[in-house]
Amino acid sequence: MPRVPAPSPEHRFSFGLWTVGNPGRDPFGGPTRPVRSPADIVRLLGGTGAWGVNFHDNDLVPIDATAAEEKRILADFRRALRETGLVVPMATTNLAFDPAFRDGAFTNPDSRIRAYALQKSMRAIDLGVSVGAKIYVFWGGREGSDTDAGKDLLGALKRYRDALNFLCGYVRDRKYDLKFALEAKPNEPRADIYLPTTGAMLAFIQTLDHPEMVGLNPEVAHEQMAGLNVTHALAQAWDAGKLFHVDLNDQAPGRYDQDFRFGAHNLKSAFFIVKFLEEVGYEGPRHFDAHAYRTSDEGDVKAFARGCMRTYLILKEKAEAFRKDREIQGLLAEIGAEFRSMRPFQGGYAPAKAKALRRHAFDRAALGRRGFPYERLDQLVVELLAGVR
Ligand code: GCO
Ligand code: MN
Ligand code: MN
């Protein structure tokens, strides 16, 4: 069993103020842990090997803070960053919590609320950039519907597009070194959230004025809530050059939004996620958008944060073991074997190629007899993960 390295800044692990700082509130009960100040949360992360801390504007500065309060909070926060060496890779706007956003922010039918959402986002972008954020996430949790009875769906998409175009313009105008990452989620808190999957977001990005500034922040739980395969979503985002950020956590399909510790529910799926990110050479933040169980005390919250990172690193070792395993590689070679006789038909279209392919005689029955050793391969993966290989 190879030694698992301790988490360190080079691994680019990040957490949100709202995740490790979550006092254990849920829809059925109040907090079970004390509320910590942002600087305190940074210090809590400081000793764990984490690299970054992310925030929503109001995780750092309460929505009703005075200018003097804001100044003091920011000074404390900056001091904690200096003390711990943590950086702020990503920031975002809270456009979900305040009652003003009950029917969405950028897509709200009320033009005053849409304008307020833009103002709040511009200020939050300034705040994020002022502490070094290079990625700005948009998760439109309230952009959606509980009933479509009163919804102008095409109008909502247009407003969404207008808002992102406006904010891209703002970032360009200010010459900020900042990219946007859109985060899809199918439902919760709305019955149906607009642009519910990574693929839907990807198509939407192409309709924006500055698609090159805008990428994706796929989240494990959000894909799994919908019964989808998150590694497939990551692959599509990567293939499009749009994997700007990733929210790692875990989730059983068909449940409420669980936000479990990375790898807590589906270790095999977590393995394929890590294997994919490491194999393609993803260099962005590995952000854990996960929450400790409500039953945790503060010590257990630390164990939760360490657990997210440690599981990632264990699975990274396992991905390396997969790559070096001769039996596994032998099966992969068998599965992907090239047939020399098919070479003339590969690559793009050419009229002569098409002509030859039309004439070629295939032995369909023989093709139908070909098996693929996925049972053997999958069992080897299971044994690798179970530590008996
Ligand atoms: C959720 C989301 C959020 C976002 C966050 C950053 O399900 O509540 O995952 O945690 O990631 O708002 O944009
Ligand atoms: Mn989520
Ligand atoms: Mn998220």
Side-chain angles (χ1 to χ4, degrees), residues 139 183 185 219 221-222 225 247 249 257 259 289:
W139 169 65
E183 177 179 343
K185 189 178 187 184
E219 172 166 318
H222 296 179
M225 281 170 78
D247 274 7
N249 52 12
D257 184 7
D259 285 329
D289 192 9

Side-chain angles (χ1 to χ4, degrees), residues 117-153:
L118 284 181
Q119 181 200 64
K120 192 172 193 291
S121 299
M122 286 189 287
R123 291 180 178 169
I125 287 173
D126 294 346
L127 177 66
V129 169
S130 77
V131 285
K134 297 274 187 290
I135 299 164
Y136 202 84
V137 165
F138 289 91
W139 169 65
R142 298 273 176 207
E143 316 288 5
S145 67
D146 307 309
T147 166
D148 285 340
K151 287 286 168 178
D152 170 5
L153 298 178

Side-chain angles (χ1 to χ4, degrees), residues 32 41 57 60 78 92 111 132 138 158 219 257 266 276 310 359 376:
T32 57
I41 300 169
D57 49 355
L60 187 56
R78 284 177 194 280
T92 182
S111 55
F138 289 91
K158 182 185 176 304
E219 172 166 318
D257 184 7
N266 190 338
F276 178 81
R310 186 164 161 77
R359 275 205 308 258
R376 272 190 282 159

Side-chain angles (χ1 to χ4, degrees), residues 90-386:
M90 176 271 259
T92 182
T93 330
N94 189 332
L95 296 173
F97 205 82
D98 195 85
F101 301 124
R102 69 181 70 185
D103 197 19
F106 300 148
T107 65
N108 199 294
D110 187 319
S111 55
R112 296 169 304 172
I113 296 172
R114 293 201 298 277
Y116 171 57
L118 284 181
Q119 181 200 64
K120 192 172 193 291
S121 299
M122 286 189 287
R123 291 180 178 169
I125 287 173
D126 294 346
L127 177 66
V129 169
S130 77
V131 285
K134 297 274 187 290
I135 299 164
Y136 202 84
V137 165
F138 289 91
W139 169 65
R142 298 273 176 207
E143 316 288 5
S145 67
D146 307 309
T147 166
D148 285 340
K151 287 286 168 178
D152 170 5
L153 298 178
L154 293 178
L157 289 172
K158 182 185 176 304
R159 288 164 181 167
Y160 218 156
R161 181 177 303 118
D162 287 348
L164 289 170
N165 285 340
F166 182 96
L167 293 170
C168 280
Y170 180 70
V171 165
R172 286 165 61 88
D173 211 21
R174 291 269 169 145
K175 302 203 167 24
Y176 287 153
D177 175 17
L178 191 69
K179 281 182 169 177
F180 289 172
L182 309 187
E183 177 179 343
K185 189 178 187 184
N187 55 268
E188 221 179 317
R190 299 310 292 268
D192 292 288
I193 299 177
Y194 299 141
L195 304 171
T197 61
T198 296
M201 286 288 188
L202 201 50
F204 181 67
I205 289 170
Q206 301 311 320
T207 71
L208 299 175
D209 287 350
H210 293 286
E212 72 287 353
M213 284 177 66
V214 186
L216 295 162
N217 177 32
E219 172 166 318
V220 177
H222 296 179
E223 304 292 326
Q224 291 183 177
M225 281 170 78
L228 298 175
N229 182 322
V230 63
T231 313
H232 292 203
L234 293 173
Q236 200 189 355
W238 179 265
D239 180 66
K242 293 294 187 192
L243 191 60
F244 289 5
H245 197 266
V246 63
D247 274 7
L248 300 170
N249 52 12
D250 212 349
Q251 169 80 36
R255 302 290 174 96
Y256 64 95
D257 184 7
Q258 293 172 309
D259 285 329
F260 284 155
R261 186 182 77 257
F262 182 57
H265 176 71
N266 190 338
L267 199 58
K268 200 165 147 196
S269 145
F271 168 68
F272 289 125
I273 293 166
V274 173
K275 181 173 170 297
F276 178 81
L277 293 175
E278 296 301 321
E279 280 177 1
V280 297
Y282 169 77
E283 285 181 348
R286 276 107 175 127
H287 175 233
F288 297 106
D289 192 9
H291 299 248
Y293 302 133
R294 186 166 182 267
T295 42
S296 296
D297 59 15
E298 289 188 55
D300 207 41
V301 171
K302 258 194 173 174
F304 147 86
R306 287 210 174 93
C308 285
M309 296 186 281
R310 186 164 161 77
T311 298
Y312 189 101
L313 292 172
I314 292 169
L315 295 177
K316 188 174 163 182
E317 296 287 338
K318 296 288 181 186
E320 191 53 24
F322 181 99
R323 197 179 63 78
K324 289 188 180 144
D325 190 304
R326 293 178 66 170
E327 195 176 348
I328 289 176
Q329 291 306 317
L331 290 174
L332 288 176
E334 184 186 326
I335 290 163
E338 288 288 341
F339 291 86
R340 205 180 291 167
S341 58
M342 291 295 108
R343 265 193 208 152
F345 307 138
Q346 280 166 4
Y349 179 81
K353 215 189 265 183
K355 202 170 163 199
L357 182 55
R358 287 184 63 111
R359 275 205 308 258
H360 187 82
F362 285 98
D363 182 349
R364 182 173 49 80
L367 294 179
R369 280 192 297 274
R370 197 221 152 146
F372 296 86
Y374 291 128
E375 288 289 0
R376 272 190 282 159
L377 183 58
D378 192 66
Q379 181 63 20
L380 291 176
V381 171
V382 169
E383 295 193 8
L384 191 73
L385 294 180

